[in-house]
Amino acid sequence: MTGKNMIKRLLALLLLASIGAMFASLLLAYVPDTDLNFTARYYAEHTAADIGAANIVTAIIVTYRGLDTLGEVTVLFLASGIVGLVLSFGRKQNTTLRNLVPVGELLTTASQYLAPIIMLLGVYVFVNGHLTPGGGFQGGAIIASGMLLLLLSDPLKRFSHTLIATVESFSGVGYIALGLVGLVLAGGFLDSRILPNGVLGELISAGAIPLIYSLIGLKVGAEFSSMLTSLSETEDL
Amino acid sequence: MVYIAMATGFLLILIGFYGALTNRNLLRMIVAFSIADTGINLVIISVGYLPGRTAPILDTTVTAAAAAARIIDPVPQALVLTAIVIGVGVTALMLAYTLKLYEKKRTLDIAKFTELKW
Amino acid sequence: MSGLMTAMTAVLCIAMLVAALVAIRVLGDKSLPIAILAAGLVSLLASVLFLILASPDVAMTEAAIGSGLSTFLFFFVLARIRSWEKGEREYDGEKHD
């Protein structure tokens, strides 16, 4: 058994050594660019005039490569759906109450006050996605962290799956609908220029980006929350 | 600095692969995969970094006109943002299947899962 | 300034590598919670490194998602497996793998 293990480990090391040699040749041949490449230069020069977003990464994610983001949100939706499906499969109805270790006073009291503030921070992050670092994905994750805190303070708490599913469906439909409006009123699917660009650096600017990113934020938050709740409810198995 | 970050990224990928190949506990393999994931993101981000430049966010010091000369490449950042979110989705999927497998077999050892179907 | 940044990057990178080695059970403690925490630490240090590499968006994402949520996903699963293990031992009185 140990001999077999040794051979396995040796093979693994051999494989890693070859991959490592490839990486080393990549690393040694790498020279950092001194100037932006063609695509990046286009984004740097045209974002402010065309899209009106101060954060160029947001402009790329929401508008220039909006279709990618739609695919990403879809993948996340599928993942959370499959997590729910896999874990609910064969769940028993009658649950035996586990004797849980009681949650500390500090955690319950603090989470009552902190969870709304954390969710507010999440909303702030995705509403300001076109101005400051952050956006829908980060904001959604922060909202889900607030949910996580509530779950930790009361492990037997059950969030309404209907609410989560409703938020998720409405934000998803709204996102697609805004994309279709862009197809009609502006240059193409998910074009953010259906609203005026406004002044660079103001909250209400950059066309439909704040709207689209808020919808993405709600959707991502709902998806992560549904993943967390389905994982935490598995004691019913 | 870029070279240090990039070398660390490559090393993290290797460490993650080594962990996934040598550990037999399913949860440890998932941990190793998530480390490799972080390493890949680190490599992509360090490819986009240009020495002496700043983040791709326009404000009063980085004006729209001077942006092309002042900011780093924003495209790798957008890609990595996507990759991180997808990565946690994949991790959640793997964990859900691990729970299911544990429920059926009451073990996390991957060598015990020999059948094609559970 | 640049030298300080390079030194800081180097320290961060070494810490990340050590944490990663702990996570895959090459170094240090062998317990699974420590491994999960070490993987979370790798993500957290990576988010600081992203900030140094001038990518605040990615740093936020990694801090919120990579090091926050995914660590907790692991802990949920681990706690569930532990509680099943414990329930079984109480049920039939023998130790399981």
Side-chain angles (χ1 to χ4, degrees):
Chain A
M1 195 61 199
T2 47
K4 207 173 148 193
N5 262 344
M6 281 306 280
I7 292 172
K8 266 186 187 168
R9 191 152 295 207
L10 215 66
L11 280 176
L13 281 174
L14 207 66
L15 179 68
L16 288 180
S18 52
I19 299 175
M22 286 195 301
F23 285 165
S25 67
L26 281 177
L27 187 67
L28 291 176
Y30 177 71
V31 181
D33 290 344
T34 48
D35 216 359
L36 290 182
N37 58 36
F38 186 73
T39 326
R41 175 175 292 279
Y42 179 86
Y43 291 144
E45 283 169 352
H46 291 77
T47 297
D50 288 357
I51 312 291
N55 187 344
I56 296 178
V57 178
T58 299
I60 292 176
I61 286 178
V62 178
T63 303
Y64 286 120
R65 295 179 183 223
L67 210 56
D68 273 14
T69 309
L70 182 61
E72 176 185 4
V73 172
T74 313
V75 169
L76 206 58
F77 168 67
L78 278 177
S80 80
I82 294 173
V83 168
L85 181 74
V86 166
L87 293 179
S88 69
F89 192 67
R91 179 175 290 175
K92 290 187 197 106
Q93 287 305 314
N94 275 335
T95 64
T96 48
L97 276 178
R98 297 177 299 147
N99 20 350
L100 291 159
V101 185
V103 180
E105 183 77 31
L106 206 59
L107 181 60
T108 37
T109 317
S111 66
Q112 276 172 7
Y113 294 106
L114 276 181
I117 299 176
I118 291 176
M119 289 188 189
L120 194 65
L121 174 70
V123 173
Y124 173 85
V125 166
F126 64 63
V127 168
N128 283 287
H130 58 303
L131 302 176
T132 54
F137 295 102
Q138 295 90 331
I142 293 172
I143 288 182
S145 313
M147 300 283 278
L148 176 69
L149 194 59
L150 289 177
L151 266 180
L152 285 180
S153 69
D154 184 4
L156 292 178
K157 194 187 195 79
R158 290 288 165 266
F159 291 107
S160 159
H161 281 273
T162 343
L163 178 69
I164 293 178
T166 315
V167 169
E168 181 172 0
S169 335
F170 271 103
S171 49
V173 169
Y175 180 32
I176 308 270
L178 274 177
L180 290 176
V181 170
L183 196 60
V184 177
L185 295 181
F189 188 60
L190 285 173
D191 196 331
S192 69
R193 285 171 292 180
I194 49 179
L195 296 172
N197 271 351
V199 184
L200 182 75
E202 282 186 1
L203 180 59
I204 302 186
S205 66
I209 285 184
L211 267 178
I212 295 178
Y213 230 9
S214 302
L215 288 173
I216 293 177
L218 285 177
K219 189 162 170 59
V220 170
E223 275 155 2
F224 279 136
S225 305
S226 105
M227 265 184 211
L228 285 170
T229 45
S230 16
L231 273 175
S232 89
E233 282 170 18
T234 41
E235 77 265 21
D236 306 353
L237 283 171
Chain B
M1 198 164 87
V2 187
Y3 289 104
I4 301 175
M6 196 178 268
T8 312
F10 282 134
L11 282 175
L12 281 180
I13 298 174
L14 290 178
I15 290 174
F17 283 170
Y18 178 76
L21 285 170
T22 52
N23 283 305
R24 299 203 306 179
N25 184 315
L26 281 169
L27 280 178
R28 282 186 191 277
M29 291 173 80
I30 301 173
V31 167
F33 274 122
S34 74
I35 287 174
D37 203 19
T38 312
I40 292 168
N41 294 338
L42 197 51
V43 171
I44 299 177
I45 282 292
S46 48
V47 167
Y49 182 76
L50 308 179
R53 294 190 176 212
T54 180
I57 295 173
L58 307 173
D59 54 16
T60 46
T61 51
V62 184
T63 54
R70 294 288 312 276
I71 63 168
I72 65 168
D73 194 345
V75 182
Q77 296 193 22
L79 294 180
V80 168
L81 223 157
T82 311
I84 292 174
V85 178
I86 299 294
V88 81
V90 172
T91 306
L93 263 186
M94 290 199 278
L95 287 172
Y97 281 119
T98 306
L99 259 187
K100 254 348 231 195
L101 289 179
Y102 183 83
E103 194 199 355
K104 291 274 191 259
K105 278 263 193 173
R106 296 286 154 177
T107 175
L108 284 175
D109 189 349
I110 195 158
K112 300 260 169 62
F113 295 99
T114 47
E115 299 94 343
L116 283 174
K117 181 172 175 293
W118 295 285
Chain C
M1 190 60 197
S2 168
L4 187 71
M5 280 306 225
T6 312
M8 202 172 143
T9 315
V11 170
L12 270 176
C13 289
I14 291 168
M16 273 169 79
L17 290 176
V18 170
L21 288 175
V22 170
I24 64 158
R25 214 160 69 144
V26 170
L27 280 179
D29 204 303
K30 307 276 185 208
S31 80
L32 195 48
I34 300 260
I36 294 171
L37 281 178
L41 186 65
V42 173
S43 274
L44 199 62
L45 295 174
S47 81
V48 180
L49 199 53
F50 288 144
L51 201 60
I52 293 178
L53 291 172
S55 327
D57 282 277
V58 183
M60 273 184 86
T61 318
E62 181 78 39
I65 298 179
S67 105
L69 282 183
S70 73
T71 306
F72 271 101
L73 288 179
F74 276 110
F75 271 118
F76 270 132
V77 172
L78 189 65
R80 213 52 75 214
I81 286 173
R82 287 270 164 89
S83 82
W84 286 346
E85 236 171 29
K86 204 169 146 229
E88 233 164 54
R89 261 180 227 156
E90 281 163 7
Y91 180 67
D92 54 23
E94 69 174 76
K95 203 181 169 204
H96 281 260
D97 194 7

